[in-house]
Amino acid sequence: MSDRGEINVGLMGLGVVGGGVAIALLEQSEEIARKVGQPVKLKSILVRDGSKSRDPRIPAELVTTNPEDILSDPAINIVAEVIGGIDPAAGFLKDALSGGKHVVTANKEVVAKFGPELFSLAQQNRVNLLFEASVCGGIPIVGCLMNQLLANEIHSIRGIINGTTNYILTQMAHHHTPFQQALDEAQKQGYAEADPTNDVEGIDAVYKLAILASLAFHSRFAPEDVFRQGISSLEPRDFQYAEELGYAIKPLAIATLSDGTVQARVHPALVPLDHMLAKVDGIYNAIEVEGSLCGHVLFHGMGAGREPTTSAVVGDLIELARNLASNTGMPAPASLGPGADGAYNRQLRVGSTDDLTSKYYLRLDVADRPGVLAQIASILGDGGISLASVLQKDTDAEQQTAEIVITTHPAREASVQESLAKVARLEVVREVKNLLRIEE
Ligand code: NAP
Ligand code: HSE
């Protein structure tokens, strides 16, 4: 039993995730008590708008708009933050840790940006900070990287880590749903971030990949260390052309370690139709981790939504409550914060995407005239970029324009970008519509 008597939880946020967590704590209290060995009580729930009507299963007397009802209540020993964003969530987390409370958060932005500071606060105050729900909803990837896979030198992490964009691209590819309609549906289902730009422009995936890379490679990676390209430039025709070429388009996140350098990137990419990731649809996420001992390990599951995320938050709460009940502490994850001597475990270099070697897919609007392709091919050839295929599409006789889709053999990103800038300046090129990487 805990030497502090009761285990009381203060929940900050009662939205998509918070609602699920509150109901799980209230309705599964007996099962949770059995797993912990002691009752775990939901004592207070912080919301922004006290006048909103709430799920009738949640007792109104638990709901407050005053954060001090949680932060200054000495009886609350665990705070679960599911508000999201930096302000005021980051301040609440710091206050909770400084006040000696254990913390669970689903907030990837705060963990990615302020992880080291928060873990240092947790260590100073001899409390724990768990964040399983911050990456990939119901998939237990954080705990595995922090614990079960520790024996490995991790070589790479590769996968789909944003449910909203995977849902949008799946709807566009399979049902020809317009982009905005697919996004509206993702928002209605509660998958999207408060500002869906974070999903669409790859920002959410950047936060998650910065967290995963820090855990996997034991070196701190900040969001700025991750290359980012969103999905907003994709049009239904890209899916059609990709399929003709034997590919699906997926929102990928990739971090690889080679010669002491980590290259991390988030962008849509073409993947072969028979590739495992091509079959991961809707809000499902999948992550493949390659380790020195475990080889290739695959995680697959629901990456967003109330229930999967509740699973991760409540799992962390139970873990903390068990530690409180048995009076055992847990070391804070040093890989995301400075160790006892103030230094990170390792300091790996951040690689530039310029050095990436990849195959590419390129879509251009051009004048429909003889010799256009020759001019483009000549510039690409001068840049050392060899063409794998060329398709001419959608010729508009009236406008005298055509669409050209090119795929390349492996080429260096810097050369591709440089050559593409030259191609874009050609008088016969109306517009460079899309440049996507192809991951085999
Ligand atoms: P949400 O539905 O927008 O809920 C946010 C909650 O926080 C609401 O209850 C809101 O209060 C409360 N809140 C907002 N600002 C506040 C403030 N200044 N003071 C007090 N309370 C405030 O968000 P969500 O989808 O549950 O996401 C919460 C967190 O989980 C985010 O960090 C998100 O990235 C993460 N996450 C979400 C998912 C998902 O699928 N949704 C999955 C994994 C992780 P009111 O109810 O009064 O408006
Ligand atoms: N908006 C996020 C997503 C929620 O769609 O993946 C889960 O972190």
Side-chain angles (χ1 to χ4, degrees), residues 14 19-20 22-27 42 45 54-60 62 306-307:
L14 188 58
I23 289 171
L25 290 176
L26 292 165
E27 295 194 340
L42 176 58
I45 307 172
R54 306 285 170 183
D55 187 313
R57 290 172 290 178
I58 294 166
L62 293 187
R306 169 172 281 192
E307 285 78 17

Side-chain angles (χ1 to χ4, degrees), residues 14-17 47-49 52 54 82 84 88 106 108 190 193 305 309:
L14 188 58
V16 174
V17 181
V47 297
R48 177 177 37 198
D49 180 354
K52 252 190 208 173
R54 306 285 170 183
V82 285
K108 67 232 48 175
E193 293 303 298
T309 314

